[in-house]
Amino acid sequence: KVPQVALMSTNLADILRFCISPEEFVPLRRETEILQRYMEIQKIRLSGEFTFQIQVPEELEDCLVPKMILQPLVENAILHGLDGLDRGSIRVTAREEAGVLRIIVEDDGRGLPETMLGAYAGRDRALSQGHLGLYNVDTILLKYYGAGYGLYLDNRPDGTGAVVTATLPIRREEETPC
C-alpha cells in the first residue's frame, strides 16, 4: 500500500498548501482540482465505496469562487448521505443562470430530513449541529455576496439522495471578486 500512502501524502500536502495560500478567491478550475485531490484521499480511505464526477463547463472554469467551498459540501454528502451504504455516487456540476453561478452537489444516498430543506440562510448555528460545513459555506457566501445568495438544500425528485446548491454571482478571473 506504499503507492497509496504516497498519493495520499502528496494530495494532502497540495490541499494544505492551497488552504494556507493568501488568496480568498480562486478560479473554479483550481477549486475543482483541489476537490479531486480530496476525493482521491477519500476513495483510498473508503476503499472506493462510491463514484465521483465533476462536470464544469469550460466557460465557467475561470469563475472566481471563495476558496474551499466545495470540499465541505462534498464531505457532507460522504458523511451524511452515503454513510452506511454499500455503494453510492456523488456528482458536482456547475451552470450559469442569468448571471448566477450554481454549483450543485448531488448524491444518491439517504436524502435530507424535511427540517433541513430550503434556503439555508438564517439558520441557527445550533440547528446546524453535525452540519458545520454547510453552515460555514453558507456563512461565507452570505458574507461575500449578500442575502440573495447562499445554499439551498433539497432532495432529489426520485427520492434517492440530496441536492445542495450553492449560488453566487458570476465573477471572472479578470474582474475583481467583490
Side-chain angles (χ1 to χ4, degrees):
K1 296 200 175 198
V2 171
Q4 289 180 325
V5 171
L7 178 61
M8 287 177 73
S9 299
T10 301
N11 285 339
L12 185 57
D14 286 347
I15 292 167
L16 291 173
R17 272 192 296 278
F18 179 73
C19 287
I20 63 172
S21 68
E23 301 91 8
E24 289 182 70
F25 297 89
V26 295
L28 184 55
R29 156 189 357 88
R30 183 70 176 129
E31 183 76 0
T32 58
E33 288 168 2
I34 291 299
L35 182 59
Q36 289 278 24
R37 300 234 186 240
Y38 171 76
M39 293 307 290
E40 287 174 357
I41 293 170
Q42 291 301 331
K43 282 190 170 220
I44 293 169
R45 189 178 79 78
L46 299 170
S47 302
E49 296 174 1
F50 59 89
T51 60
F52 177 70
Q53 284 184 307
I54 296 179
Q55 298 171 329
V56 175
E58 192 174 324
E59 64 271 13
L60 297 179
E61 288 181 345
D62 67 339
C63 289
L64 291 174
V65 298
K67 181 170 60 178
M68 290 301 288
I69 61 166
L70 292 182
Q71 183 275 333
L73 301 180
V74 172
E75 182 177 17
N76 189 74
I78 293 169
L79 293 177
H80 300 288
L82 302 182
D83 183 46
L85 301 178
D86 291 336
R87 302 285 306 152
S89 66
I90 298 172
R91 184 173 61 165
V92 177
T93 57
R95 66 177 183 253
E96 179 181 358
E97 293 177 4
V100 174
L101 177 62
R102 294 190 187 285
I103 304 172
I104 300 114
V105 177
E106 186 174 0
D107 67 64
D108 63 357
R110 305 175 189 280
L112 295 165
E114 195 73 29
T115 56
M116 289 188 70
L117 302 182
Y120 205 77
R123 304 245 172 139
D124 184 335
R125 189 173 183 159
L127 295 175
S128 299
Q129 196 71 9
H131 298 278
L132 193 56
L134 294 178
Y135 179 85
N136 288 340
V137 170
D138 192 60
T139 300
I140 288 166
L141 294 174
L142 292 172
K143 172 188 163 196
Y144 286 124
Y145 306 116
Y149 301 98
L151 295 181
Y152 188 86
L153 283 57
D154 204 355
N155 284 319
R156 288 175 34 157
D158 65 4
T160 60
V163 180
V164 176
T165 304
T167 58
L168 53 156
I170 293 278
R171 299 261 163 61
R172 305 284 179 183
E173 278 187 288
E174 64 275 357
E175 300 172 12
T176 38
C178 286

